[in-house]
Amino acid sequence: AELDTLDIIVLGVILLGTVAYFTKGKLWGVTKDPYANSLLNAGGIKAGKTRNIIEKLEESGKNCIIFYGSQTGTAEDYASRLAKEGKSRFGLETMVADLEDYDYDNLDAIPSDKVVMFILATYGEGEPTDNAVDFYEFITGDEPQFSESNDPPLGNLNYVAFGLGNNTYEHYNSMVRNVNKALEKLGAHRIGDAGEGDDGAGTMEEDFLAWKDPMWAALAEKMGLEEREAVYDPIFSVVERDELTKEDHEVYLGEPNKMHLEGSAKGPFNAHNPYIAPIAESTELFAVKDRNCLHMEVDVSGSNLSYQTGDHIAIWPTNPGEEVDRFMDILDLTEKRHNVISVKALEPTAKVPFPTPTTYDAVVRYHMEICSPVSRQFLSQLAAFAPDEESKAEMTRLGSDKDYFHEKVAIHHLNIARVLKVASKGKKWTNVPFSILIESVTKLQPRYYSISSSSLVQPKKISITAVVEKQEIPGREDPFRGVATNYLLALKQKQHGDPNPEPFGVSYEITGPRNKYDGIHVPVHVRHSNFKLPSDPSKPVILIGPGTGVAPFRAFVQERAKQAENGENVGKTILFFGCRRKSEDFIYEKEWEQYKNILGDNFELVTAFSRDGPKKVYVQHRLQERGKEINDLLEKKAYIYVCGDAANMAREVNATIGRILAQNRGIPETKAEEIVKNMRAANQYQEDVW
Ligand code: FAD
């Protein structure tokens, strides 16, 4: 039979939809560098970038590529630090490359006088980061097909490897371990050890520093490199544009890309292009004065954004004005903060991390992670620009003496501006080139939140449950405050016309660039996750989520209640929740009762209040008390879900489940642990931890 036009159109649409689904939107230009336009304007780089790394190396004269697989920006940051160090200390011609921007089938054609570095984060349950999925599948695949037929295939390749992981996860640093194994198997030559950084132990930065020095020594020997006096060689030029003012239309005041600048933002909305979403509602969930937990409803009905129960929403924060001012002040930028600048990459492989022309103020407020912990390496680098000899000596010491750094900087949670101020005793740092700040201060990262609503119940309204980060630091006048959660708190206070808003909160530029976020908007995108309810609702589920770890479980229970109302057969749902006190931080207390009314005996909430009784009780203790029941449910193929604190809770829960199996099935603990492992592999045991 012939297809008529309508059939063809319908088929075409289905096909396109399928392609979009399986390519995660890559064909739609989603992964295109969002700043390509500004770079094009600024740097005069040819359009139509090559995916051929050899071509790229040749045309740019590089001999060291640093590939990164990064989710939250740390691996990317380490990659660019290595690039800078390689160049300034050894005169290597380095380039940083996003793994998803290149093809890998010609890794075998990279000549042996060049070196390839892999800086690879492991994400979630031992997964590659989004930008490294294709590379990982290629290199660890059965028989990767390369362009030449060398034997061994990668016999010419010299590589260096460092992984970023978290030892609280089962598959610790599996990305770098597996890639390293695969490369060795293909005959590639590793230089130095394959390093591993551990975020779980809080030693990532120190692990990185400890790994890189011997690596450089091995590399210098292998490639016959001479170390030279480190010289600062800027990667970016910063040009003041006196003919422009911040009122000019072409000047970016914090808009994330050109569409946003031109007021024509449209989807797809993703990690390069946020949707400026209205906040429909915001409420406080805690019943205490000094701690806050926010519930927010983000309205995405004006966009094509969609989500599934269990996904994450990313919030794009703005820096607090107080910290922006502090940064401007110590670097002596206050007077010219609103001057217009253009930033150009001085070499073709560098990307300007924000669109320009822009202003100093906009860069610092919207694009730099100015509040985060500082690295010792950066302090050493800044020593050269100190205002006097004394500050220079202090910075050099902070950079090289781990214990001194710990005592003076780390324990006080100082950010870069605060460190500079302490180190120079308040003297302004007038000599620091702005380019070094662009190069070394990480890009401001979106923060992820486990969506606390069900997409079945409210497909176009995304709920967030976020505890506001505020810590008293001994010996410090003001508390330490998290960037994104205090920004959300400020938005909430604004929405409620709070007569006594937090003084800190007031300083946020809540209305956004050119007031585009006014009327309480927040830039967001959605990240899909594998944390999913069983497709068959009649399966029992065991949910373990203390504190804000309960966020996705509010969504799960909401969904199951709706399914029950729709007449579906919904299995048992047992939720373990824990907090400090019933009267203080028992979030969604009333809501659970409503779900109970709908789900009846099929829903049970088990609580652990750690500070209400004489003894501290946590969720894992409650689990243990219910050991027999848990074991019975697991025998009925129940699914277990754990969400929240990765460092302690998730590990304790894992151990407890093992113990329960051992006790109730009369098997050795090692056997029980094996069963838990298999449950994880079969997605019967899922974690969403941070
Ligand atoms: P940040 O400013 O990012 O600070 C966070 C922490 O970093 C601080 O507590 C501190 O330990 C450290 N830090 C920052 N700056 C310094 C410094 N100068 N010196 C020393 N230490 C420093 N949170 C929720 O509340 N609810 C959720 O549902 C939720 N879901 C998540 C899901 C996922 C997949 C992930 C990855 C995280 C989730 N989080 C959730 C955590 C959330 O993403 C944020 O990390 C959290 O809200 C803090 O963000 P912030 O910007 O306020 O704090």
Side-chain angles (χ1 to χ4, degrees):
E2 273 182 36
L3 295 171
D4 65 20
T5 322
L6 186 64
D7 282 341
I8 292 172
I9 292 173
V10 170
L11 269 176
V13 169
I14 293 174
L15 185 69
L16 273 177
T18 317
V19 169
Y21 180 80
F22 285 109
T23 56
K24 295 195 190 137
K26 278 186 193 148
L27 294 185
W28 309 94
V30 172
T31 57
K32 217 179 82 184
D33 172 18
Y35 308 126
N37 280 343
S38 66
L39 247 187
L40 264 179
N41 300 339
I45 292 167
K46 283 197 297 267
K49 291 193 299 188
T50 177
R51 292 189 57 81
N52 182 331
I53 190 68
I54 309 266
E55 229 173 78
K56 186 78 185 186
L57 286 173
E58 276 167 8
E59 84 191 18
S60 58
K62 301 292 177 188
N63 58 6
C64 172
I65 320 151
I66 304 152
F67 280 118
Y68 62 86
S70 191
Q71 195 72 34
T72 58
T74 315
E76 182 178 355
D77 177 44
Y78 285 6
S80 68
R81 282 164 58 182
L82 288 171
K84 262 174 280 171
E85 194 173 348
K87 170 129 197 176
S88 66
R89 277 177 64 186
F90 300 102
L92 276 170
E93 293 303 331
T94 53
M95 66 170 278
V96 171
D98 186 334
L99 270 172
E100 89 186 345
D101 287 348
Y102 293 93
D103 299 325
Y104 323 110
D105 59 347
N106 58 355
L107 280 179
D108 60 338
I110 295 181
S112 59
D113 60 349
K114 306 209 187 308
V115 61
V116 180
M117 301 195 180
F118 294 98
I119 308 302
L120 304 170
T122 298
Y123 194 63
E125 294 288 306
E127 292 148 38
T129 55
D130 292 348
N131 74 328
V133 172
D134 291 346
F135 166 69
Y136 185 71
E137 285 174 0
F138 175 82
I139 207 80
T140 60
D142 278 346
E143 261 180 53
Q145 293 301 309
F146 291 104
S147 58
E148 299 179 358
S149 34
N150 302 333
D151 184 24
L154 293 184
N156 282 332
L157 186 72
N158 289 315
Y159 76 99
V160 161
F162 183 81
L164 296 85
N166 184 319
N167 76 15
T168 56
Y169 290 79
E170 160 110 22
H171 301 277
Y172 175 55
N173 258 314
S174 62
M175 185 62 188
V176 74
R177 288 181 185 181
N178 294 342
V179 167
N180 183 47
K181 233 184 280 167
L183 291 171
E184 277 181 342
K185 204 171 114 198
L186 292 162
H189 305 282
R190 195 186 60 245
I191 298 168
D193 291 334
E196 292 183 357
D198 184 2
D199 204 27
T203 54
M204 183 71 80
E205 174 72 17
E206 290 301 334
D207 295 338
F208 175 68
L209 297 181
W211 162 81
K212 73 179 179 55
D213 283 331
M215 180 280 292
W216 285 124
L219 185 69
E221 192 182 319
K222 169 95 184 172
M223 294 182 73
L225 304 172
E226 293 271 346
E227 178 153 8
R228 54 183 195 181
E229 174 92 24
V231 278
Y232 173 63
D233 207 350
I235 300 173
F236 300 112
S237 79
V238 179
V239 181
E240 297 215 7
R241 302 280 302 272
D242 296 338
E243 76 283 14
L244 291 173
T245 72
K246 75 185 184 57
E247 275 72 38
D248 283 301
H249 296 304
E250 63 189 287
V251 177
Y252 288 85
L253 298 181
E255 291 90 347
N257 59 40
K258 195 156 191 164
M259 286 191 294
H260 284 271
L261 180 72
E262 289 170 350
S264 60
K266 55 177 188 300
F269 295 107
N270 53 43
H272 303 308
N273 184 34
Y275 172 58
I276 311 299
I279 296 181
E281 250 178 77
S282 52
T283 48
E284 172 61 52
L285 296 173
F286 283 172
V288 272
K289 278 246 153 58
D290 58 333
R291 293 165 65 218
N292 297 91
C293 185
L294 304 169
H295 175 89
M296 288 191 153
E297 299 275 338
V298 178
D299 182 353
V300 294
S301 58
S303 75
N304 56 1
L305 274 179
S306 66
Y307 77 102
Q308 286 164 10
T309 306
D311 285 344
H312 301 136
I313 182 170
I315 298 284
W316 293 48
T318 300
N319 280 315
E322 235 171 60
E323 293 298 342
V324 175
D325 293 349
R326 192 190 312 277
F327 187 95
M328 292 295 178
D329 178 56
I330 196 69
L331 288 155
D332 203 24
L333 293 168
T334 306
E335 267 178 37
K336 55 178 190 178
R337 67 194 297 165
H338 297 301
N339 289 6
V340 177
I341 51 172
S342 278
V343 179
K344 293 179 191 175
L346 292 172
E347 47 178 282
T349 57
K351 283 185 195 175
V352 180
F354 43 79
T356 80
T358 181
T359 63
Y360 293 103
D361 187 279
V363 172
V364 175
R365 195 180 297 275
Y366 291 98
H367 301 291
M368 284 184 177
E369 196 78 73
I370 57 167
C371 296
S372 63
V374 291
S375 78
R376 287 203 280 123
Q377 198 180 354
F378 186 34
L379 298 187
S380 301
Q381 217 187 346
L382 287 177
F385 307 100
D388 54 32
E389 286 305 315
E390 207 184 324
S391 325
K392 182 174 179 178
E394 179 70 2
M395 290 292 274
T396 308
R397 181 164 178 209
L398 287 171
S400 57
D401 184 337
K402 188 172 153 183
D403 298 326
Y404 188 62
F405 173 83
H406 182 76
E407 171 201 334
K408 292 280 171 186
V409 178
I411 58 172
H412 304 294
H413 278 53
L414 299 188
N415 57 34
I416 187 62
R418 289 175 190 247
V419 177
L420 292 178
K421 194 160 182 176
V422 172
S424 69
K425 303 205 170 82
K427 235 186 225 170
K428 296 197 198 251
W429 291 64
T430 51
N431 301 324
V432 180
F434 198 66
S435 57
I436 206 172
L437 301 170
I438 302 174
E439 290 159 27
S440 300
V441 181
T442 330
K443 252 193 298 198
L444 186 57
Q445 297 292 322
R447 270 55 166 182
Y448 291 100
Y449 295 88
S450 302
I451 294 176
S452 59
S453 54
S454 152
S455 56
L456 181 67
V457 176
Q458 44 178 80
K460 283 291 178 184
K461 236 199 245 169
I462 296 180
S463 306
I464 299 175
T465 309
V467 73
V468 178
E469 277 278 342
K470 181 175 149 196
Q471 296 170 36
E472 297 299 332
I473 307 286
R476 187 172 139 167
E477 273 175 26
D478 54 338
F480 165 81
R481 297 168 194 262
V483 174
T485 48
N486 285 279
Y487 169 54
L488 292 175
L489 178 64
L491 289 169
K492 186 216 151 213
Q493 290 177 330
K494 172 95 189 282
Q495 184 161 49
H496 290 263
D498 199 324
N500 292 311
E502 284 258 347
F504 181 79
V506 174
S507 74
Y508 279 95
E509 197 170 277
I510 300 186
T511 57
R514 296 189 166 87
N515 291 329
K516 284 175 183 166
Y517 306 171
D518 204 2
I520 322 295
H521 285 69
V522 63
V524 301
H525 72 267
V526 170
R527 179 171 194 274
H528 295 287
S529 94
N530 297 323
F531 196 69
K532 292 286 171 290
L533 276 166
S535 49
D536 172 3
S538 70
K539 289 266 176 359
V541 296
I542 301 164
L543 314 175
I544 303 153
T548 45
V550 83
F553 302 142
R554 176 179 179 269
F556 281 18
V557 178
Q558 198 181 47
E559 177 138 330
R560 283 166 81 86
K562 179 73 177 174
Q563 287 169 328
E565 280 183 329
N566 292 348
E568 291 187 58
N569 175 14
V570 177
K572 173 102 187 176
T573 305
I574 176 163
L575 168 62
F576 291 84
F577 171 76
C579 64
R580 291 186 189 171
R581 295 179 201 279
K582 185 174 184 339
S583 60
E584 289 184 357
D585 49 0
F586 184 7
I587 60 181
Y588 301 120
E589 183 179 1
K590 291 276 169 307
E591 272 189 43
W592 304 126
E593 289 167 18
Q594 292 168 17
Y595 300 133
K596 178 92 190 159
N597 287 338
I598 300 167
L599 290 164
D601 287 346
N602 255 348
F603 174 51
E604 194 182 349
L605 173 65
V606 181
T607 51
F609 301 112
S610 64
R611 300 192 184 176
D612 275 348
K615 242 178 62 192
K616 292 211 159 156
V617 187
Y618 296 115
V619 282
Q620 60 269 26
H621 302 124
R622 294 289 187 233
L623 268 176
Q624 182 68 53
E625 288 167 16
R626 303 283 184 122
K628 182 167 178 326
E629 193 181 344
I630 299 288
N631 182 57
D632 290 348
L633 284 170
L634 289 177
E635 284 185 334
K636 288 185 204 142
K637 293 275 168 284
Y639 281 62
I640 298 194
Y641 299 86
V642 184
C643 179
D645 170 40
N648 303 304
M649 184 275 300
R651 195 183 251 187
E652 292 287 337
V653 166
N654 187 84
T656 308
I657 298 289
R659 225 173 300 124
I660 288 174
L661 294 182
Q663 286 160 356
N664 288 276
R665 299 184 185 180
I667 52 174
E669 293 225 351
T670 48
K671 176 88 179 87
E673 280 159 19
E674 197 61 30
I675 296 176
V676 175
K677 266 198 192 138
N678 292 338
M679 284 170 53
R680 283 173 178 272
N683 279 336
Q684 200 194 337
Y685 189 128
Q686 299 183 22
E687 277 184 349
D688 180 25
V689 293
W690 60 82

